[in-house]
CSV table of all heavy atoms in Angstrom, one decimal:
chain,number,residue,atom,x,y,z
K,87,PRO,N,-5.1,8.1,0.7
K,87,PRO,CA,-4.2,7.3,-0.1
K,87,PRO,C,-4.8,6.8,-1.4
K,87,PRO,O,-6.0,6.7,-1.5
K,87,PRO,CB,-3.9,6.1,0.8
K,87,PRO,CG,-5.1,6.0,1.7
K,87,PRO,CD,-5.6,7.4,1.9
K,88,ILE,N,-4.0,6.7,-2.4
K,88,ILE,CA,-4.4,6.1,-3.6
K,88,ILE,C,-4.8,4.6,-3.3
K,88,ILE,O,-4.1,3.9,-2.7
K,88,ILE,CB,-3.3,6.1,-4.7
K,88,ILE,CG1,-3.1,7.6,-5.1
K,88,ILE,CG2,-3.7,5.3,-5.9
K,88,ILE,CD1,-2.0,7.8,-6.1
K,89,CYS,N,-6.0,4.2,-3.8
K,89,CYS,CA,-6.5,2.9,-3.6
K,89,CYS,C,-6.7,2.2,-4.9
K,89,CYS,O,-6.8,2.9,-5.9
K,89,CYS,CB,-7.9,2.9,-2.9
K,89,CYS,SG,-7.8,3.7,-1.2
K,90,ILE,N,-6.6,0.9,-4.9
K,90,ILE,CA,-6.8,0.1,-6.1
K,90,ILE,C,-7.9,-0.9,-6.0
K,90,ILE,O,-8.1,-1.4,-4.9
K,90,ILE,CB,-5.5,-0.5,-6.6
K,90,ILE,CG1,-4.9,-1.4,-5.5
K,90,ILE,CG2,-4.5,0.5,-7.0
K,90,ILE,CD1,-3.7,-2.2,-5.9
K,91,PRO,N,-8.5,-1.3,-7.1
K,91,PRO,CA,-9.5,-2.3,-7.0
K,91,PRO,C,-8.8,-3.7,-6.8
K,91,PRO,O,-7.7,-3.9,-7.3
K,91,PRO,CB,-10.3,-2.2,-8.3
K,91,PRO,CG,-9.4,-1.5,-9.2
K,91,PRO,CD,-8.5,-0.6,-8.4
K,92,PRO,N,-9.5,-4.7,-6.3
K,92,PRO,CA,-8.9,-6.0,-6.0
K,92,PRO,C,-8.5,-6.7,-7.3
K,92,PRO,O,-7.6,-7.6,-7.3
K,92,PRO,CB,-10.0,-6.8,-5.2
K,92,PRO,CG,-11.2,-6.0,-5.5
K,92,PRO,CD,-10.9,-4.6,-5.8
K,93,GLU,N,-9.1,-6.4,-8.4
K,93,GLU,CA,-8.8,-7.1,-9.7
K,93,GLU,C,-7.6,-6.5,-10.4
K,93,GLU,O,-7.2,-7.0,-11.5
K,93,GLU,CB,-10.0,-7.2,-10.6
K,93,GLU,CG,-10.5,-5.8,-11.1
K,93,GLU,CD,-11.5,-5.1,-10.1
K,93,GLU,OE1,-11.7,-5.6,-9.0
K,93,GLU,OE2,-12.0,-4.1,-10.5
K,94,THR,N,-6.9,-5.5,-9.8
K,94,THR,CA,-5.7,-4.9,-10.4
K,94,THR,C,-4.6,-6.0,-10.5
K,94,THR,O,-4.4,-6.8,-9.6
K,94,THR,CB,-5.2,-3.8,-9.6
K,94,THR,OG1,-6.3,-2.8,-9.4
K,94,THR,CG2,-4.0,-3.1,-10.2
K,95,LEU,N,-4.0,-6.1,-11.7
K,95,LEU,CA,-2.9,-7.0,-11.8
K,95,LEU,C,-1.7,-6.6,-10.9
K,95,LEU,O,-1.4,-5.4,-10.8
K,95,LEU,CB,-2.4,-7.1,-13.2
K,95,LEU,CG,-3.4,-7.7,-14.2
K,95,LEU,CD1,-2.9,-7.7,-15.6
K,95,LEU,CD2,-3.8,-9.1,-13.8
K,96,VAL,N,-1.0,-7.5,-10.4
K,96,VAL,CA,0.1,-7.2,-9.5
K,96,VAL,C,1.2,-6.4,-10.1
K,96,VAL,O,1.6,-5.4,-9.6
K,96,VAL,CB,0.8,-8.5,-8.9
K,96,VAL,CG1,2.1,-8.3,-8.2
K,96,VAL,CG2,-0.2,-9.3,-8.0
K,97,SER,N,1.5,-6.7,-11.4
K,97,SER,CA,2.6,-5.9,-12.0
K,97,SER,C,2.1,-4.4,-12.2
K,97,SER,O,2.9,-3.5,-12.1
K,97,SER,CB,3.0,-6.5,-13.4
K,97,SER,OG,1.9,-6.5,-14.3
K,98,ASP,N,0.8,-4.2,-12.5
K,98,ASP,CA,0.3,-2.8,-12.6
K,98,ASP,C,0.4,-2.1,-11.3
K,98,ASP,O,0.7,-0.9,-11.2
K,98,ASP,CB,-1.2,-2.9,-13.1
K,98,ASP,CG,-1.3,-3.3,-14.6
K,98,ASP,OD1,-0.3,-3.3,-15.3
K,98,ASP,OD2,-2.4,-3.7,-15.0
K,99,ALA,N,0.1,-2.8,-10.2
K,99,ALA,CA,0.1,-2.2,-8.9
K,99,ALA,C,1.6,-1.8,-8.5
K,99,ALA,O,1.9,-0.8,-8.0
K,99,ALA,CB,-0.4,-3.1,-7.8
K,100,VAL,N,2.5,-2.7,-8.9
K,100,VAL,CA,3.9,-2.5,-8.6
K,100,VAL,C,4.4,-1.3,-9.5
K,100,VAL,O,5.2,-0.5,-9.0
K,100,VAL,CB,4.8,-3.7,-8.8
K,100,VAL,CG1,6.3,-3.4,-8.7
K,100,VAL,CG2,4.4,-4.8,-7.8
K,101,VAL,N,4.0,-1.2,-10.7
K,101,VAL,CA,4.3,0.0,-11.5
K,101,VAL,C,3.9,1.3,-10.8
K,101,VAL,O,4.7,2.2,-10.7
K,101,VAL,CB,3.7,-0.1,-13.0
K,101,VAL,CG1,3.8,1.2,-13.7
K,101,VAL,CG2,4.4,-1.2,-13.8
K,102,LEU,N,2.7,1.3,-10.4
K,102,LEU,CA,2.2,2.5,-9.6
K,102,LEU,C,3.0,2.8,-8.4
K,102,LEU,O,3.4,3.9,-8.2
K,102,LEU,CB,0.7,2.2,-9.2
K,102,LEU,CG,0.0,3.3,-8.4
K,102,LEU,CD1,-0.1,4.6,-9.2
K,102,LEU,CD2,-1.4,2.9,-8.0
K,103,MET,N,3.4,1.7,-7.7
K,103,MET,CA,4.2,1.9,-6.5
K,103,MET,C,5.6,2.4,-6.8
K,103,MET,O,6.1,3.3,-6.1
K,103,MET,CB,4.3,0.6,-5.7
K,103,MET,CG,2.9,0.1,-5.2
K,103,MET,SD,3.0,-1.6,-4.6
K,103,MET,CE,3.3,-1.4,-2.9
K,104,LEU,N,6.2,1.9,-7.9
K,104,LEU,CA,7.5,2.4,-8.3
K,104,LEU,C,7.5,3.8,-8.7
K,104,LEU,O,8.3,4.6,-8.4
K,104,LEU,CB,8.1,1.5,-9.4
K,104,LEU,CG,8.5,0.1,-9.0
K,104,LEU,CD1,8.7,-0.8,-10.2
K,104,LEU,CD2,9.7,0.1,-8.1
K,105,GLU,N,6.4,4.2,-9.5
K,105,GLU,CA,6.4,5.5,-10.1
K,105,GLU,C,6.0,6.6,-9.0
K,105,GLU,O,6.4,7.7,-9.1
K,105,GLU,CB,5.3,5.6,-11.2
K,105,GLU,CG,5.8,4.8,-12.4
K,105,GLU,CD,4.8,4.8,-13.6
K,105,GLU,OE1,3.6,5.1,-13.4
K,105,GLU,OE2,5.3,4.5,-14.7
K,106,ARG,N,5.3,6.2,-8.0
K,106,ARG,CA,4.8,7.1,-6.9
K,106,ARG,C,5.6,7.0,-5.6
K,106,ARG,O,5.4,7.8,-4.7
K,106,ARG,CB,3.3,6.9,-6.6
K,106,ARG,CG,2.4,7.1,-7.8
K,106,ARG,CD,2.3,8.5,-8.2
K,106,ARG,NE,1.4,8.8,-9.2
K,106,ARG,CZ,0.1,9.2,-9.0
K,106,ARG,NH1,-0.4,9.4,-7.8
K,106,ARG,NH2,-0.7,9.4,-10.1
K,107,GLY,N,6.5,6.0,-5.5
K,107,GLY,CA,7.2,5.8,-4.3
K,107,GLY,C,6.5,5.3,-3.1
K,107,GLY,O,6.8,5.5,-1.9
K,108,PHE,N,5.4,4.5,-3.4
K,108,PHE,CA,4.6,3.8,-2.3
K,108,PHE,C,5.2,2.4,-2.1
K,108,PHE,O,5.8,1.8,-2.9
K,108,PHE,CB,3.2,3.6,-2.8
K,108,PHE,CG,2.5,4.9,-3.1
K,108,PHE,CD1,1.5,4.9,-4.1
K,108,PHE,CD2,2.7,6.1,-2.5
K,108,PHE,CE1,0.8,6.0,-4.5
K,108,PHE,CE2,2.1,7.3,-2.9
K,108,PHE,CZ,1.1,7.2,-3.9
K,109,ARG,N,4.8,1.9,-0.9
K,109,ARG,CA,5.1,0.5,-0.6
K,109,ARG,C,3.8,-0.3,-0.2
K,109,ARG,O,3.9,-1.5,0.0
K,109,ARG,CB,6.1,0.4,0.6
K,109,ARG,CG,7.5,0.9,0.2
K,109,ARG,CD,8.4,0.7,1.3
K,109,ARG,NE,9.7,1.4,1.0
K,109,ARG,CZ,10.7,1.5,1.9
K,109,ARG,NH1,10.5,1.1,3.1
K,109,ARG,NH2,11.8,2.1,1.5
K,110,HIS,N,2.7,0.5,-0.1
K,110,HIS,CA,1.5,-0.1,0.3
K,110,HIS,C,0.3,0.6,-0.4
K,110,HIS,O,0.3,1.8,-0.6
K,110,HIS,CB,1.2,0.1,1.8
K,110,HIS,CG,2.3,-0.4,2.7
K,110,HIS,ND1,3.4,0.3,3.0
K,110,HIS,CD2,2.3,-1.6,3.4
K,110,HIS,CE1,4.1,-0.5,3.8
K,110,HIS,NE2,3.5,-1.6,4.0
K,111,LEU,N,-0.7,-0.2,-0.9
K,111,LEU,CA,-1.8,0.3,-1.5
K,111,LEU,C,-3.1,-0.4,-1.0
K,111,LEU,O,-3.2,-1.6,-1.1
K,111,LEU,CB,-1.8,0.0,-3.0
K,111,LEU,CG,-0.8,0.8,-3.8
K,111,LEU,CD1,-0.6,0.2,-5.2
K,111,LEU,CD2,-1.2,2.2,-4.0
K,112,PRO,N,-4.0,0.4,-0.4
K,112,PRO,CA,-5.3,-0.3,0.1
K,112,PRO,C,-6.1,-0.8,-1.1
K,112,PRO,O,-6.1,-0.2,-2.2
K,112,PRO,CB,-6.0,0.9,0.7
K,112,PRO,CG,-4.9,1.9,1.1
K,112,PRO,CD,-3.9,1.8,0.0
K,113,LEU,N,-6.7,-1.9,-0.9
K,113,LEU,CA,-7.6,-2.5,-1.9
K,113,LEU,C,-9.0,-2.2,-1.5
K,113,LEU,O,-9.4,-2.5,-0.4
K,113,LEU,CB,-7.5,-4.0,-2.0
K,113,LEU,CG,-6.1,-4.6,-2.1
K,113,LEU,CD1,-6.1,-6.1,-2.1
K,113,LEU,CD2,-5.4,-4.1,-3.3
K,114,VAL,N,-9.7,-1.5,-2.4
K,114,VAL,CA,-11.1,-1.1,-2.1
K,114,VAL,C,-12.0,-1.5,-3.2
K,114,VAL,O,-11.7,-1.4,-4.4
K,114,VAL,CB,-11.1,0.5,-1.9
K,114,VAL,CG1,-12.6,1.0,-1.7
K,114,VAL,CG2,-10.2,0.9,-0.8
K,115,SER,N,-13.2,-2.0,-2.8
K,115,SER,CA,-14.2,-2.4,-3.8
K,115,SER,C,-15.6,-2.0,-3.2
K,115,SER,O,-15.9,-2.4,-2.0
K,115,SER,CB,-14.2,-3.9,-4.0
K,115,SER,OG,-15.2,-4.2,-4.9
K,116,GLY,N,-16.4,-1.2,-3.9
K,116,GLY,CA,-17.7,-0.8,-3.5
K,116,GLY,C,-17.6,0.0,-2.2
K,116,GLY,O,-18.5,-0.1,-1.3
K,117,GLY,N,-16.6,0.7,-2.0
K,117,GLY,CA,-16.4,1.5,-0.8
K,117,GLY,C,-15.9,0.8,0.4
K,117,GLY,O,-15.7,1.3,1.5
K,118,LYS,N,-15.7,-0.5,0.3
K,118,LYS,CA,-15.2,-1.4,1.4
K,118,LYS,C,-13.7,-1.7,1.2
K,118,LYS,O,-13.3,-2.1,0.1
K,118,LYS,CB,-16.0,-2.7,1.5
K,118,LYS,CG,-15.6,-3.5,2.6
K,118,LYS,CD,-16.5,-4.7,2.8
K,118,LYS,CE,-16.0,-5.5,4.0
K,118,LYS,NZ,-16.4,-6.8,4.2
K,119,VAL,N,-13.0,-1.5,2.3
K,119,VAL,CA,-11.5,-1.9,2.2
K,119,VAL,C,-11.4,-3.4,2.4
K,119,VAL,O,-11.9,-4.0,3.4
K,119,VAL,CB,-10.8,-1.1,3.3
K,119,VAL,CG1,-9.3,-1.6,3.3
K,119,VAL,CG2,-10.9,0.4,3.2
K,120,LEU,N,-10.7,-4.1,1.5
K,120,LEU,CA,-10.6,-5.5,1.5
K,120,LEU,C,-9.2,-6.0,2.0
K,120,LEU,O,-9.1,-7.1,2.4
K,120,LEU,CB,-10.8,-6.1,0.1
K,120,LEU,CG,-12.1,-5.7,-0.6
K,120,LEU,CD1,-12.1,-6.3,-2.0
K,120,LEU,CD2,-13.3,-6.3,0.2
K,121,GLY,N,-8.3,-5.1,2.0
K,121,GLY,CA,-6.9,-5.4,2.5
K,121,GLY,C,-5.9,-4.4,2.0
K,121,GLY,O,-6.3,-3.3,1.5
K,122,VAL,N,-4.7,-4.7,2.2
K,122,VAL,CA,-3.6,-3.8,1.8
K,122,VAL,C,-2.6,-4.6,1.0
K,122,VAL,O,-2.1,-5.6,1.5
K,122,VAL,CB,-2.9,-3.1,3.0
K,122,VAL,CG1,-1.8,-2.2,2.5
K,122,VAL,CG2,-3.9,-2.2,3.7
K,123,PHE,N,-2.3,-4.1,-0.2
K,123,PHE,CA,-1.3,-4.8,-1.0
K,123,PHE,C,0.1,-4.1,-0.7
K,123,PHE,O,0.2,-2.9,-0.6
K,123,PHE,CB,-1.6,-4.6,-2.5
K,123,PHE,CG,-0.5,-5.1,-3.4
K,123,PHE,CD1,-0.3,-6.5,-3.6
K,123,PHE,CD2,0.4,-4.2,-4.0
K,123,PHE,CE1,0.7,-6.9,-4.4
K,123,PHE,CE2,1.4,-4.7,-4.9
K,123,PHE,CZ,1.6,-6.1,-5.1
K,124,SER,N,1.1,-5.0,-0.4
K,124,SER,CA,2.4,-4.5,-0.1
K,124,SER,C,3.3,-5.0,-1.2
K,124,SER,O,3.1,-6.0,-1.8
K,124,SER,CB,2.8,-5.1,1.3
K,124,SER,OG,4.2,-5.0,1.4
K,125,ALA,N,4.4,-4.2,-1.4
K,125,ALA,CA,5.4,-4.6,-2.4
K,125,ALA,C,5.9,-6.0,-2.1
K,125,ALA,O,6.3,-6.8,-3.0
K,125,ALA,CB,6.6,-3.6,-2.4
K,126,LEU,N,5.9,-6.5,-0.8
K,126,LEU,CA,6.4,-7.8,-0.4
K,126,LEU,C,5.4,-8.9,-0.9
K,126,LEU,O,5.8,-10.1,-0.9
K,126,LEU,CB,6.5,-7.9,1.1
K,126,LEU,CG,7.6,-6.9,1.7
K,126,LEU,CD1,7.5,-7.0,3.2
K,126,LEU,CD2,8.9,-7.2,1.1
K,127,ASP,N,4.2,-8.5,-1.3
K,127,ASP,CA,3.2,-9.5,-1.8
K,127,ASP,C,3.5,-9.9,-3.3
K,127,ASP,O,2.9,-10.9,-3.8
K,127,ASP,CB,1.8,-9.0,-1.7
K,127,ASP,CG,1.4,-8.8,-0.3
K,127,ASP,OD1,1.7,-9.7,0.6
K,127,ASP,OD2,0.7,-7.8,0.0
K,128,ALA,N,4.4,-9.2,-3.9
K,128,ALA,CA,4.6,-9.5,-5.4
K,128,ALA,C,5.7,-10.5,-5.5
K,128,ALA,O,6.7,-10.6,-4.7
K,128,ALA,CB,5.1,-8.2,-6.1
K,129,LEU,N,5.6,-11.4,-6.5
K,129,LEU,CA,6.6,-12.4,-6.9
K,129,LEU,C,7.7,-11.7,-7.7
K,129,LEU,O,7.4,-10.7,-8.4
K,129,LEU,CB,6.0,-13.5,-7.7
K,129,LEU,CG,4.9,-14.3,-6.9
K,129,LEU,CD1,4.3,-15.3,-7.9
K,129,LEU,CD2,5.5,-15.1,-5.8
K,130,PRO,N,8.9,-12.3,-7.7
K,130,PRO,CA,10.0,-11.7,-8.5
K,130,PRO,C,9.6,-11.4,-9.9
K,130,PRO,O,10.0,-10.4,-10.5
K,130,PRO,CB,11.1,-12.7,-8.3
K,130,PRO,CG,10.9,-13.3,-7.0
K,130,PRO,CD,9.4,-13.4,-6.9
K,131,ARG,N,8.9,-12.4,-10.6
K,131,ARG,CA,8.6,-12.2,-12.0
K,131,ARG,C,7.6,-11.0,-12.2
K,131,ARG,O,7.7,-10.3,-13.2
K,131,ARG,CB,8.0,-13.5,-12.6
K,131,ARG,CG,6.7,-13.9,-12.0
K,131,ARG,CD,6.2,-15.2,-12.7
K,131,ARG,NE,5.1,-15.8,-12.0
K,131,ARG,CZ,3.8,-15.5,-12.1
K,131,ARG,NH1,3.5,-14.5,-12.9
K,131,ARG,NH2,2.9,-16.1,-11.4
K,132,GLU,N,6.8,-10.8,-11.2
K,132,GLU,CA,5.8,-9.7,-11.3
K,132,GLU,C,6.6,-8.3,-11.1
K,132,GLU,O,6.3,-7.4,-11.8
K,132,GLU,CB,4.7,-9.8,-10.2
K,132,GLU,CG,3.8,-11.0,-10.5
K,132,GLU,CD,3.0,-11.5,-9.3
K,132,GLU,OE1,3.4,-11.3,-8.2
K,132,GLU,OE2,1.9,-12.0,-9.6
K,133,VAL,N,7.5,-8.3,-10.2
K,133,VAL,CA,8.3,-7.1,-10.0
K,133,VAL,C,9.2,-6.9,-11.2
K,133,VAL,O,9.3,-5.7,-11.7
K,133,VAL,CB,9.2,-7.3,-8.7
K,133,VAL,CG1,10.2,-6.1,-8.6
K,133,VAL,CG2,8.4,-7.4,-7.5
K,134,GLY,N,9.7,-7.9,-11.8
K,134,GLY,CA,10.5,-7.8,-13.1
K,134,GLY,C,9.7,-7.2,-14.2
K,134,GLY,O,10.1,-6.3,-14.9
K,135,ALA,N,8.4,-7.7,-14.3
K,135,ALA,CA,7.6,-7.1,-15.4
K,135,ALA,C,7.3,-5.6,-15.1
K,135,ALA,O,7.2,-4.8,-16.0
K,135,ALA,CB,6.2,-7.9,-15.4
Side-chain angles (χ1 to χ4, degrees):
I88 292 178
C89 299
I90 56 174
E93 62 273 7
T94 303
L95 294 178
V96 170
S97 62
D98 291 340
V100 174
V101 167
L102 177 63
M103 295 167 96
L104 289 169
E105 291 179 341
R106 300 289 186 98
F108 302 148
R109 294 183 186 171
H110 302 86
L111 289 168
L113 309 182
V114 177
S115 180
K118 182 176 182 195
V119 178
L120 304 176
V122 176
F123 175 75
S124 164
L126 298 174
D127 294 318
L129 296 174
R131 67 180 165 83
E132 294 163 330
V133 173

